[in-house]
Each structure stands twice: as C-alpha cells, then as structure tokens.
Amino acid sequence: MSSPNDAVIVAGARLPIGRKGGTLAEFDGVQLGARAIKALIDNPSINALLNDEAITDVIMGNTLSHYGNPARVAALSAGLPVNTPGLTIDRQCGSGINAVTLAGKLVAFEGGVYIAGGMESMTNEPFQLSRAKRAYDSTPPSFLRRELSTAEVGDPTMGITAENLAEKYSISREEQDDFALRSQENYAKAKAQGKYSHFLIPTETSSHGTVEHDEHPRPNTNAEKLAALRPAFISSGTVTAGNASGINDGAAAVCIVSADKAMHHDLNPLAHIGESSVVGVDPNYMGIGPVPAIQSVLKQAGRSISDYEFIEINEAFASQALACAKELDITVDNINPLGGAIAHGHPIAATGTVLIQKTITELSERGGGRAIVSACIGGGQGIATEIIVEEK
C-alpha cells in the first residue's frame, strides 16, 4: 500500500547518449547536466509545482570532473536561483541510481521538491597529475591513476574484473557475444516502438546540429562481426569492445516529490521509488555487486524475485550481467527487456538515471508493476532499487 509520504517521480528528462569524441564532445559533464536539468524544469507538466514551491536540493551524480561540487554548478548553469543548493554524489556507476534513491529518502522523511540524476562526459575527463613533493623540485609530474580500491585488496581495471567473472562462472565468449547481440536487438526493437522517446530531449550542438538519438547503438552488428573482434584486455580473454559497454557522454534528471504533494498539484506520478540497498563486494569481482544488493532489496520488501516484471542489471560487461543472472537464478529473458548499456552506452554517473527512466517506460507500457534497477560499481560495490508503476 502506498502512503502520502511515498517518494514519487513526476517528470524526467535525458539527453541523447553520445560516443566518446562524438556528438556531445563539445560539452563537459556539468554542461550536459545543466541541459538535462533545464529540460526538466521547463517541462510544462511541473510548471505549477515549480511556480508554487522552491526546489529543495539538486542531487546529481558525477565522477569525472574538474569542478568542485559539479551538481551546484550545473544547477546554476541551468538557470536555477542562487538559493538553490546542490549535492554531488560519486558512487561511480551507481551514482545515477544513488542520487534518485537519496532524494527519495529525503522526500519520504522531510518532504520537499528534489531534482536528482547524473551527468558525465567521458570525452572530457580531466587528467590527474602528481605534484612536486618539495619547492623547486625539477622532477616532471606523472599521470595519476584513479584508484578505486587498495593494492592489498586488489584494484584491477574494470575489464580484468569482467574477465575474472567470465572465468569464475565459466561464461564463454559465445555466450557473451550472444548476450551483446540481444542487447543491440532489444534496443533497436524498443526504439522502433518509441520506447526511447519518452524522456529523450533533442540537444543543440555547434558541430553536429540537433542531436535527437543515442549515438552508441550498432543496429547493423551481427554474430559474425562480434565474433571477429579481438579480446580487449588480455590476449587469451573473452571480453571485447563488442560485448562490453561503451565510453560515453550523457546526462539525465528526474523530479521527485511526495505522493501527497503530487496529488496536491494534480500531478500523475510516473513511478514510486521503493526499497533500495547499497552493498560492498570483492573489488576483483566487482561486477557481481548487483546480486547482494538485489537480495537485500528483496529482503526489505518481503518479496521474491518472481514478484517483479523484470530486473534491470546495468550492462557494464556481458560477462558481468550473465554472472549476476546465474547467481540470481534467472534467465536473460528476465533482464533488460529494452536492451542495455552494451547498446545505448554507459556515461558512468548518468547511466543509473537512464535505467530508471527506461524502466518507468517499460512498466507503463505493461500497464504497471514492479521492477528492480541495479548496477555494479567500480571498486567493489553494488546498488539496487525498486521502481513501482501503479497498475492501470
């Protein structure tokens, strides 16, 4: 049963997802985030709400930036008044989910009007350089690696974690390529049905005109093309550019209020935000993170996985999504019905909010129901949340 204090999503917007160096390359992460926020607050459906009430906070995920508190800068860049605060979340690939769940918890406990989402420009990721240890040191600076764990525990690259899971769960190259092809095909089918147009906002650029579609999908790929790709991380490996997510740019945002406030302003909730969980796992097998996170959500909700229409598992890698499906004892038919990040791309901190938006779309198309949105997180974490669309 829902209650007046339940957190609900009443509007959303996202930009097309661009490839690295592609259609959105001229914008850094904050500029992308500002465009998503501006499109959201310009949504006519929430005009009355925003005319009557100030935005309580803007919570945005961002992981690759030179800004201090990018969410605040994005809010100001979107034209929000200077008395609008901002909070930036860096939970890596889980940031876009975490921003939404945090805003939902704050709404449930304190009320208010929140904007939450994520933004990322992997094209414009700044370099990090070491500084001199003493004055007048002539030693040239060196590039610093973004460490997500400790050397003692293990801090492998994301591709190696995917190879680790493929080996541990005996996931073959063919299985991974089949899953990747399914992602591309499901995306193409969903796009043709208009399921990717509900939240998508055309974006004006100086170099590519108006960008209206995700740039990353490869609708012409096939099993033969995928099989021809070389392993990307180790010569004897099975993870390739074709069965892994992309390097991308993008931004997405949603507006969250209480069910009572939505009713007061005659807003039809798009979805309720249910239980959520964040967990830690071994960084060497970080891709398995969604499993304990999903299990925690099921325990909190007092439900079994069969109670959900589908499970959204962010496709960082095919091997990772398949390993999660094996551990959860579900088939691939139960996950990612509209395709995933292997097809549409993975702009790190923005992806989670994109997954939530497409989950809302699919549940609405089915006449309502429940789903779980989840992601693995670099450094060894997992995150999951319930998304509930009222049955019609």
Side-chain angles (χ1 to χ4, degrees):
M1 292 291 291
S2 61
S3 74
N5 292 331
D6 277 359
V8 298
I9 295 171
V10 293
R14 80 165 177 93
L15 308 187
I17 296 173
R19 293 179 184 169
K20 183 176 181 178
T23 54
L24 301 182
E26 66 191 73
F27 306 120
D28 63 28
V30 161
Q31 292 168 330
L32 294 171
R35 281 161 173 77
I37 294 169
K38 183 69 166 62
L40 176 62
I41 62 178
D42 286 346
N43 187 324
S45 69
I46 57 172
N47 280 350
L49 169 69
L50 298 184
N51 285 337
D52 290 348
E53 309 216 20
I55 293 170
T56 310
D57 207 348
V58 175
I59 305 176
M60 296 289 285
N62 184 249
T63 71
L64 307 174
S65 178
H66 66 278
Y67 293 90
N69 195 2
R72 164 70 171 172
V73 184
L76 295 176
S77 299
L80 292 174
V82 294
N83 61 352
T84 307
L87 171 66
T88 304
I89 288 181
D90 178 359
R91 204 184 289 273
Q92 295 294 298
C93 307
S95 302
I97 298 174
N98 208 157
V100 172
T101 59
L102 175 58
K105 291 180 187 297
L106 290 169
V107 163
F109 283 105
E110 301 177 0
V113 178
Y114 284 80
I115 289 174
M119 53 195 179
E120 206 78 82
S121 173
M122 299 184 77
T123 296
N124 293 296
E125 175 187 1
F127 291 118
Q128 296 186 118
L129 297 175
S130 62
R131 294 181 64 92
K133 299 293 192 295
R134 60 184 185 275
Y136 310 113
D137 189 345
S138 60
T139 303
S142 58
F143 289 105
L144 298 175
R145 178 174 175 264
R146 294 180 185 271
E147 297 179 10
L148 298 174
S149 178
T150 65
E152 293 76 16
V153 173
D155 188 23
T157 64
M158 297 301 97
I160 296 302
T161 70
E163 291 285 5
N164 290 345
L165 285 173
E167 180 180 5
K168 180 177 180 178
Y169 288 90
S170 300
I171 300 170
S172 69
R173 167 70 182 270
E174 184 179 9
E175 287 178 283
Q176 294 174 59
D177 286 352
D178 286 347
F179 183 86
L181 183 59
R182 173 186 178 273
S183 183
Q184 296 283 357
E185 290 174 344
N186 282 4
Y187 177 94
K189 181 179 178 181
K191 182 183 177 184
Q193 294 171 338
K195 293 183 179 181
Y196 274 98
S197 63
H198 294 298
F199 294 97
L200 195 63
I201 303 299
T203 301
E204 296 294 331
T205 71
S206 62
S207 53
H208 293 86
T210 302
V211 180
E212 298 180 332
H213 305 287
D214 295 327
E215 183 183 14
H216 190 72
R218 298 182 182 275
N220 296 321
T221 195
N222 56 43
E224 291 73 24
K225 290 179 180 178
L226 288 169
L229 296 173
R230 295 179 179 179
F233 302 101
I234 54 177
S235 59
S236 60
T238 57
V239 179
T240 72
N243 59 40
S245 59
I247 301 174
N248 302 101
D249 307 331
V254 295
C255 180
I256 302 169
V257 298
S258 68
D260 187 56
K261 193 180 292 292
M263 183 180 296
H264 177 74
H265 288 279
D266 294 322
L267 291 170
N268 182 34
L270 301 179
H272 292 248
I273 303 168
E275 304 293 347
S276 63
S277 180
V278 182
V279 302
V281 297
D282 184 344
N284 298 287
Y285 299 91
M286 72 91 200
I288 208 67
V291 173
I294 290 169
Q295 291 169 337
S296 176
V297 166
L298 294 175
K299 184 176 181 179
Q300 291 177 54
R303 294 181 176 274
S304 65
I305 205 160
S306 61
D307 292 330
Y308 295 86
E309 294 288 321
F310 57 89
I311 308 296
E312 190 74 27
I313 301 174
N314 184 41
E315 297 171 359
F317 302 91
S319 64
Q320 160 264 324
L322 288 167
C324 289
K326 284 190 175 186
E327 279 287 356
L328 293 167
D329 195 24
I330 56 177
T331 69
V332 293
D333 292 333
N334 296 116
I335 64 175
N336 307 0
L338 305 189
I342 290 174
H344 57 60
H346 181 20
I348 305 174
T351 304
T353 310
V354 173
L355 301 186
I356 288 171
Q357 290 176 347
K358 70 178 188 179
T359 295
I360 293 171
T361 296
E362 180 62 10
L363 287 175
S364 298
E365 291 281 339
R366 296 186 183 196
R370 295 172 176 267
I372 294 178
V373 178
S374 66
C376 58
I377 299 170
Q381 296 184 79
I383 190 168
T385 188
E386 281 186 305
I387 296 296
I388 305 151
V389 172
E390 294 180 0
E391 295 186 2
K392 300 173 183 178

